[in-house]
């Protein structure tokens, strides 16, 4: 039987130029199973450390950011489909013009004084997170001639084991840049790639206010589960 | 049917205003009697510094507590440090109760993070004992003064750090 294609991108994906000198050349070593291993536990962050306002990226400054207001919500689940409760979800993104609030971003698009593009929250008892933000713009990068990143939001998620730690990117449905983006295309399995694309949801959409998107994050199994 | 896993994507170069936080690399106070300092550099396959990596350590100390250190008190088992332009990083942590602490490295050009272990001393160990000497040495931090250690991460090529399957 052919094993299913790997969910994650290979380290070496030459079409994404920065992988060439940074991808490990040797296969990862599988550590002997040890139920006491440090990697099988994970930090837990407290409610007193995360201000609920940090989940609304449109209200972090005096004025309102420019752009299309959106709600992004979903659940963090373990490999068995169980909710991961009270876990830290962090996100960051470009503004509506495709510019990051970051010193190394040289894209000649305007910064938005009312948008810094970073947020965090803890999942609820159902494993659900919910952010209000604005839709990020596409932006150029210098990976190859006329290279543009599709609009995306970076996600950072903790699970119940350090080995489950996941950083990923959420994309928007129907983006015409998908076929040309070596980072999106680095995921070998087309079905897995589609799981990086949020789903528009009219039920999440708030009338007269914001379009709604659903994006679930499913973490890997720990060595002890598999 | 259980849901299918979400693929990893690179952290990219623009995480700087989202992931690092004040004091993220200082898991314990300076005067903590158990404090050790771990410094090092992240290097690429050409031996050049990686100036835009993010390192996370997890000691498992304090049960399963992390802390974003917003309260400014108490110790954390979790730490985060972005590399400087010369690829260097620095942590101050409590000496782990076991032989090692877990380390994740994220960077532009890494489509998934690399996971490794920082051993503060060499000795009989179920993982280390499976590795040939040169490979084994990549996981053992070098003493660098009193309660201080040096641990470089070589992503690729000569002296490549041993990375672990998640």
């Amino acid at each position: 039987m052919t094993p299913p294609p790997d969910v994650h991108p290979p380290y070496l994906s030459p079409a994404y130029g920065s992988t060439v000198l940074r991808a490990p050349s040797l296969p990862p070593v599988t550590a002997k199973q040890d139920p006491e291993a440090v990697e099988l536990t994970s930090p837990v962050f407290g409610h007193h450390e995360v201000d609920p306002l940090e989940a609304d990226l449109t209200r972090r400054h005096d004025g309102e950011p420019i752009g299309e207001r959106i709600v992004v919500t979903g659940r963090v689940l373990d490999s068995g489909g169980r909710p991961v409760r009270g876990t830290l979800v962090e996100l960051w993104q470009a503004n509506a013009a495709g510019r990051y609030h970051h010193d190394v971003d040289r894209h000649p698009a305007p910064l938005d004084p009312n948008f810094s593009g970073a947020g965090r929250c803890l999942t609820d008892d159902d494993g659900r997170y919910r952010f209000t933000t604005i839709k990020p713009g596409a932006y150029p990068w210098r990976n190859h001639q006329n290279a543009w990143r599709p609009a995306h939001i970076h996600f950072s998620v903790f699970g119940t084991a350090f080995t489950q730690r996941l950083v990923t990117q959420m994309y928007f449905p129907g983006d015409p840049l998908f076929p040309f983006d070596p980072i999106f295309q680095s995921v070998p399995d087309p079905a897995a790639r589609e799981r990086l694309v949020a789903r528009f949801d009219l039920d999440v959409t708030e009338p007269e206010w914001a379009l709604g998107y659903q994006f679930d994050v499913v973490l890997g199994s720990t060595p002890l589960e598999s | 049917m259980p849901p299918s896993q979400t693929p990893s994507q690179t952290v990219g170069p623009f995480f700087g205003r989202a992931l690092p936080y004040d004091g993220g690399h200082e898991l314990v106070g300076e005067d903590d009697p158990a404090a050790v300092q771990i410094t090092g550099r992240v290097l690429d396959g050409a031996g050049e510094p990686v100036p835009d990596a993010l390192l996370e350590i997890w000691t498992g100390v304090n049960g399963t507590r992390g802390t974003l250190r917003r309260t400014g008190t108490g110790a954390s088992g979790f730490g985060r440090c972005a590399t400087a332009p010369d690829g260097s990083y620095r942590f101050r942590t409590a000496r782990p109760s076991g032989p090692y602490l877990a380390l994740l490295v994220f960077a532009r050009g890494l489509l998934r993070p690399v996971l490794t272990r920082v051993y503060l001393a060499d000795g009989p160990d179920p993982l280390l004992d499976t590795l040939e000497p040169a490979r084994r040495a990549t996981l053992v931090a070098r003493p660098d003064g009193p309660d201080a250690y040096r641990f470089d991460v070589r992503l690729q090529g000569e002296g490549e750090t041993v990375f672990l399957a998640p």
Side-chain angles (χ1 to χ4, degrees), chain A residues 8 11 16 18 20-26 29 39 41 44 49 90 101 120 165 167-169 171 195 218, chain B residues 5-10 17 45 52 56 58 64 66-68 70 80 100 108-109 113 117 156 160 163 165:
Chain A
H8 297 300
Y11 284 114
Y16 173 24
S18 299
V20 173
L21 280 173
R22 295 186 172 187
S25 59
L26 299 169
V29 170
E39 298 92 339
T41 61
V44 174
E49 298 185 276
E90 297 161 287
H101 196 66
R120 56 163 74 108
R165 186 85 179 82
V167 167
T168 190
Q169 300 180 24
Y171 300 88
R195 294 199 293 276
V218 181
Chain B
Q5 206 180 330
T6 304
S8 174
Q9 294 271 270
T10 179
R17 289 188 188 260
D52 50 6
E56 290 185 349
W58 172 234
T64 56
T67 171
L68 301 170
R70 289 283 171 85
R80 220 176 229 176
Y100 69 90
R108 171 177 65 84
R117 289 178 176 180
Q156 183 193 88
E160 183 173 312
F163 299 115

Side-chain angles (χ1 to χ4, degrees), chain A residues 6-11 13 16 18-26 28-32 37-39 41-45 48-50 54 78-81 90-92 100-105 118 120 139 154 156 158 162-163 165-169 171 183-184 186-187 192 195-196 216-220, chain B residues 2-21 44-46 49-52 56-60 63-71 78 80 100 102-104 106-117 126-127 130-131 135 155-157 160 162-166:
Chain A
D6 200 355
V7 166
H8 297 300
Y11 284 114
S13 296
Y16 173 24
S18 299
T19 66
V20 173
L21 280 173
R22 295 186 172 187
S25 59
L26 299 169
V29 170
T30 302
K32 218 171 175 177
V38 169
E39 298 92 339
T41 61
S42 171
V44 174
F45 301 94
H48 62 283
E49 298 185 276
V50 182
E54 292 184 85
D78 70 12
S79 60
E90 297 161 287
L91 59 72
W92 67 103
Y100 280 90
H101 196 66
H102 192 290
D103 299 342
V104 304
D105 188 354
R120 56 163 74 108
Y139 61 85
H154 295 266
S156 160
F158 286 79
F162 207 51
T163 52
R165 186 85 179 82
L166 180 74
V167 167
T168 190
Q169 300 180 24
Y171 300 88
I183 293 181
F184 181 70
S186 69
V187 178
R195 294 199 293 276
L196 294 176
D216 287 346
V217 175
V218 181
L219 303 177
Chain B
S4 300
Q5 206 180 330
T6 304
S8 174
Q9 294 271 270
T10 179
V11 75
F14 300 129
F15 57 79
R17 289 188 188 260
L19 298 183
Y21 50 92
D44 71 11
V50 176
D52 50 6
E56 290 185 349
I57 57 170
W58 172 234
T59 64
T64 56
R65 202 163 81 84
T67 171
L68 301 170
R69 297 191 68 76
R70 289 283 171 85
T71 54
F78 174 76
R80 220 176 229 176
Y100 69 90
L103 171 67
L104 276 172
F106 301 85
R108 171 177 65 84
L110 283 179
L111 285 160
R112 54 210 278 193
V114 287
L115 173 69
T116 187
R117 289 178 176 180
L127 172 66
T130 64
L131 304 169
R135 297 275 286 151
L155 292 176
Q156 183 193 88
E160 183 173 312
V162 169
F163 299 115
L164 303 181

